[in-house]
Amino acid sequence: MGLVDEVVGALLIEVCLACILYGVTTLQTFIYYQNFPEDSRVLKGVVGSVWIMETLHTALCMELVYTYSVTHFGDFDFLGNIYWGAGASILVGVFISAAVHAFYIRRVWIMSSGSIPVTAFITLLALCRFGCGLGSFILSLEITEWTPFRANVSPLVTIALGLGCAAAVDVLVALTLSFYIQRDRGKWESGAQESDSRIDTILIYAVNTGAITAISSILSVILFATQKKSLVFLGLVEIQSKLYANSFLGSLNVRAAARSTPSSNQFEFTPRRAPIMRPPQFRTPGDTEFTIPRVAVHQQTVVMHDNGEVDAYSENSVKGALV
């Protein structure tokens, strides 16, 4: 049983983690459709497509582990074969990452005011990652055993180049968005601490999401090249697609958190009237008039749209309540 532990053990644990992340994806998809019914049909379609692909990807991952550990339990020769579910799950993951990269590239295009060199370079890297992913899938169908697949140069090139381009896209998107948000933050903020905090949150989220997916890509390449007798790299690749889907949905749902969080430290307090029973009476001009206390409210809001644009505006109002 040591061979099973070495080959499939890490893959089983990583697929379980991927299933947990799929639950997070499903929850984020539900939250998105609940909170943003006014979004465009195209964006809603992309969200739905990503969730459908994630569902298919999760089913393929579970079927892959079930085949290795249950259907062919005790068949040590089968552990050396590349089951078709492995290639199919990688193919679906390639399409998921392509959809997410396209969304982020569109944000870069908008934030950079249509900068062709920056957008074209990132798009080229994303296309390279997509092509290498397709190449890895085709090679998994031609080379049907793990040992020659790991020893062959072609799979190493497609996997290393594809995941390397994916890491480069993630890092460049994070750095580019951070640069343009930082450069243009003076147009959005009004000098208030709340506005600065919101913009800093957007910057931190952009950097963190890009860093996590980039690190997973680099680790996958290292494990593929070093752990020749284990499928731990495959499980990490499966997790990576879940990270892409959750980063995409999180960047959309963060708008709901910005709406629901109070944008100022000033709150409106309305005094509560205690019920008082008074007999009917007539007021004369000499009677004291009741005064209506007024509370000034200053509200500042920072909104990040799904297309990457950030708006900031302030509103002053005066409200009164009877005592």
Side-chain angles (χ1 to χ4, degrees):
M1 299 303 292
L3 180 62
V4 177
D5 293 337
E6 185 178 4
V7 176
V8 187
L11 177 63
L12 174 62
I13 296 174
E14 289 169 327
V15 168
C16 290
L17 294 177
C19 291
I20 295 174
L21 291 175
Y22 170 70
V24 178
T25 302
T26 302
L27 177 61
Q28 288 210 76
T29 303
F30 175 79
I31 292 174
Y32 169 78
Y33 283 114
Q34 285 286 101
N35 292 331
F36 303 101
E38 71 281 358
D39 280 355
S40 64
R41 293 183 178 179
V42 175
L43 186 57
K44 291 180 180 178
V46 173
V47 172
S49 299
V50 168
W51 181 82
I52 291 173
M53 288 190 291
E54 275 295 303
T55 302
L56 176 60
H57 181 265
T58 304
L60 290 172
C61 291
M62 296 174 65
E63 201 269 343
L64 171 65
V65 173
Y66 186 87
T67 301
Y68 276 120
S69 59
V70 178
T71 304
H72 291 273
F73 176 78
D75 187 358
F76 298 113
D77 293 333
F78 185 81
L79 294 178
N81 297 332
I82 300 179
Y83 185 61
W84 67 266
S89 63
I90 291 176
L91 180 64
V92 176
V94 168
F95 280 98
I96 293 173
S97 63
V100 176
H101 282 159
F103 172 78
Y104 283 129
I105 290 172
R106 178 174 175 268
R107 279 195 167 180
V108 170
W109 171 263
I110 294 173
M111 295 296 295
S112 63
S113 301
S115 176
I116 295 179
V118 174
T119 310
F121 181 66
I122 298 178
T123 303
L124 181 63
L125 292 175
L127 290 175
C128 182
R129 190 271 180 272
F130 182 77
C132 290
L134 294 180
S136 299
F137 168 71
I138 295 174
L139 288 173
S140 69
L141 298 179
E142 295 179 351
I143 306 174
T144 58
E145 293 183 0
W146 285 114
T147 300
F149 184 85
R150 305 287 288 270
N152 200 305
V153 177
S154 298
L156 178 61
V157 171
T158 56
I159 291 177
L161 182 60
L163 293 178
C165 289
V169 170
D170 299 334
V171 172
L172 287 176
V173 167
L175 293 178
T176 304
L177 291 178
S178 300
F179 170 76
Y180 285 110
I181 292 175
Q182 184 70 26
R183 186 194 66 176
D184 298 336
R185 68 186 301 165
K187 302 178 182 178
W188 307 321
E189 62 186 18
S190 58
Q193 183 179 0
E194 295 81 5
S195 299
D196 294 339
S197 177
R198 296 288 173 80
I199 296 175
D200 290 339
T201 301
I202 295 172
L203 287 171
I204 293 173
Y205 184 84
V207 173
N208 287 346
T209 52
I212 292 174
T213 51
I215 290 173
S216 65
S217 297
I218 296 173
L219 285 178
S220 299
V221 175
I222 295 175
L223 292 173
F224 178 81
T226 57
Q227 302 295 321
K228 297 292 186 179
K229 296 182 179 180
S230 175
L231 297 181
V232 61
F233 85 95
L234 181 60
L236 195 56
V237 171
E238 311 294 10
I239 289 177
Q240 186 184 35
S241 73
K242 311 299 182 188
L243 295 177
Y244 275 121
N246 280 293
S247 67
F248 163 63
L249 293 169
S251 65
L252 296 175
N253 290 332
V254 73
R255 299 173 295 168
R259 278 195 223 164
S260 59
T261 304
S263 59
S264 176
N265 293 328
Q266 301 181 18
F267 299 89
E268 177 184 350
F269 294 93
T270 302
R272 180 179 297 178
R273 284 191 298 174
I276 300 176
M277 302 298 296
R278 294 190 178 97
Q281 56 180 320
F282 296 96
R283 298 179 58 190
T284 62
D287 293 339
T288 304
E289 297 291 337
F290 290 100
T291 60
I292 301 177
R294 297 182 180 272
V295 179
V297 178
H298 176 68
Q299 182 177 1
Q300 296 175 339
T301 305
V302 176
V303 179
M304 185 172 185
H305 302 282
D306 62 291
N307 59 7
E309 298 178 352
V310 182
D311 297 330
Y313 55 89
S314 301
E315 180 181 354
N316 294 313
S317 60
V318 177
K319 297 184 179 181
L322 288 174
V323 232

